[in-house]
Amino acid sequence: QIKVTCTQKGEASWIEIKDNGSGISTENMKKIFEPFFTTKKVGQGTGLGLALCYGIIQLHGGRILVSSEEGLGATFQIVLPLPT
């Protein structure tokens, strides 16, 4: 299950994507935004998705935050500045 919420806090838009999947291990949390890092089998992913998201969000002056607990899913928060 995936839940997406969008809110405005001050001068920023917050987009939260939360799932109830298997979560991300503490060891993998340190690497998830690195290009070509994947936990999938060969041929099932390139490991570029989160690295691309990270770069695009930074280019827009934003940031991406992640929290997770193994077995309890993951939550990604994207914070983007509002245009002035």
Side-chain angles (χ1 to χ4, degrees):
Q1 192 172 33
I2 298 173
K3 181 181 178 183
V4 179
T5 56
C6 301
T7 57
Q8 181 180 338
K9 296 179 185 176
E11 300 295 318
S13 289
W14 287 68
I15 304 155
E16 183 176 87
I17 301 109
K18 187 174 190 170
D19 71 33
N20 64 345
S22 58
I24 305 167
S25 72
T26 304
E27 179 182 321
N28 287 342
M29 287 280 280
K30 300 171 188 172
K31 304 181 234 176
I32 61 171
F33 295 113
E34 293 178 12
F36 304 109
F37 174 76
T38 183
T39 58
K40 296 179 182 176
K41 294 179 183 177
V42 174
Q44 293 190 359
T46 60
L48 288 174
L50 285 174
L52 285 171
C53 290
Y54 184 86
I56 291 167
I57 291 164
Q58 279 201 318
L59 286 172
H60 284 85
R63 61 183 193 236
I64 184 168
L65 312 165
V66 61
S67 61
S68 182
E69 193 172 330
E70 274 190 276
L72 297 176
T75 301
F76 288 84
Q77 293 179 315
I78 300 167
V79 184
L80 295 170
L82 293 171
T84 52

